[in-house]
Amino acid sequence: ETGVTQTPRHLVMGMTNKKSLKCEQHLGHNAMYWYKQSAKKPLELMFVYSLEERVENNSVPSRFSPECPNSSHLFLHLHTLQPEDSALYLCASSPALLSNTIYFGEGSWLTVV
Amino acid sequence: AQKITQTQPGMFVQEKEAVTLDCTYDTSDPSYGLFWYKQPSSGEMIFLIYQGSYDQQNATEGRYSLNFQKARKSANLVISASQLGDSAMYFCAMREGNGGFKTIFGAGTRLFVKA
């Protein structure tokens, strides 16, 4: 069982919908990440949080809005997405921001119709 | 700028044989870490092995070993005695050491293990 849990595992949403992806880590880590994995692109880092503060925002469109209420939870709020946003969204955590190893969740498969 | 290149989109290997997955990288930072991850069809990214740029010996973890050739900037993954469960996508990744926390990933190699 992974220490990083993502829900929902699968989501289909219309372009006008508002939905959220949730990530929870049970590892006591201080850093959490959102990655996007599209079909034909390398894994892309979207957001990084360290001790609940955002430290990185990689030019991600504002229709993606992250939220980190505490060090164990990370959300990705989705609003008016485009079909090209369909992808696997992976949450990850690490003990600290500069830790050698990142632990990933199973991902949330998002389809925008 | 950092860059990770995996030139093999797909690889086939016979069960019980060894296979090498290629990875080359580019960085100007003398301190960095190299990683391999396995991604089964379920989507989860599973950490396999880590090699630091200053490590003198090649990393090994069970059936996985990392063939680290610093001068050539390559970090190939060797899987010995392949098993059917090894069929998955494999990603090479790098993180720069001096204050860097971003991990960048290669495009991945899909490995098919044949019975």
Side-chain angles (χ1 to χ4, degrees):
Chain A
E1 181 183 332
T2 178
V4 181
T5 306
Q6 290 187 240
T7 54
R9 293 295 319 280
H10 299 270
L11 177 64
V12 180
M13 60 184 290
M15 287 190 284
T16 58
N17 290 159
K18 287 185 182 180
K19 297 285 183 184
S20 297
L21 305 181
K22 178 183 176 183
C23 176
E24 183 175 2
Q25 57 98 358
H26 315 278
L27 302 168
H29 290 171
N30 289 327
M32 296 188 76
Y33 311 79
W34 278 116
Y35 282 87
K36 176 184 178 182
Q37 186 177 14
S38 303
K40 296 183 179 180
K41 291 184 181 179
L43 216 59
E44 301 171 75
L45 179 64
M46 299 177 71
F47 299 105
V48 181
Y49 276 83
S50 175
L51 296 170
E52 301 139 51
E53 284 192 30
R54 190 191 306 181
V55 295
E56 182 70 22
N57 175 358
N58 264 0
S59 302
V60 179
S62 60
R63 56 185 185 270
F64 294 92
S65 173
E67 179 190 0
C68 187
N70 55 63
S71 59
S72 298
H73 293 86
L74 185 65
F75 294 89
L76 188 63
H77 302 300
L78 314 170
H79 177 50
T80 59
L81 295 191
Q82 304 298 312
E84 58 265 28
D85 296 324
S86 298
L88 176 67
Y89 290 84
L90 287 159
C91 175
S93 71
S94 61
L97 199 56
L98 300 179
S99 297
N100 284 335
T101 311
I102 312 173
Y103 298 83
F104 285 84
E106 292 182 297
S108 294
W109 293 92
L110 173 67
T111 302
V112 181
V113 297
Chain B
Q2 296 181 29
K3 187 178 179 181
I4 293 281
T5 303
Q6 294 179 256
T7 57
Q8 305 154 314
M11 288 280 288
F12 286 87
V13 65
Q14 195 68 38
E15 191 180 11
K16 299 180 185 178
E17 292 186 352
V19 63
T20 298
L21 306 183
D22 295 341
C23 173
T24 58
Y25 60 91
D26 190 21
T27 180
S28 57
D29 196 326
S31 176
Y32 51 89
L34 296 158
F35 308 78
W36 277 92
Y37 286 86
K38 173 184 177 182
Q39 187 180 42
S41 57
S42 61
E44 182 186 2
M45 294 278 276
I46 303 167
F47 166 74
L48 295 178
I49 197 166
Y50 167 80
Q51 178 87 42
S53 58
Y54 294 118
D55 292 344
Q56 295 296 314
Q57 295 185 324
N58 287 346
T60 60
E61 289 286 348
R63 294 187 298 111
Y64 304 107
S65 60
L66 199 152
N67 185 2
F68 182 44
Q69 298 192 34
K70 197 169 183 176
R72 294 184 181 182
K73 293 190 174 179
S74 75
N76 298 339
L77 177 70
V78 180
I79 305 174
S80 62
S82 297
Q83 301 172 357
L84 295 178
D86 293 335
S87 294
M89 279 289 286
Y90 288 82
F91 291 92
C92 180
M94 177 173 68
R95 171 180 280 193
E96 286 181 342
N98 286 338
F101 52 81
K102 296 183 188 181
T103 301
I104 63 164
F105 289 78
T109 296
R110 183 165 294 281
L111 178 66
F112 299 90
V113 180
K114 299 182 291 185

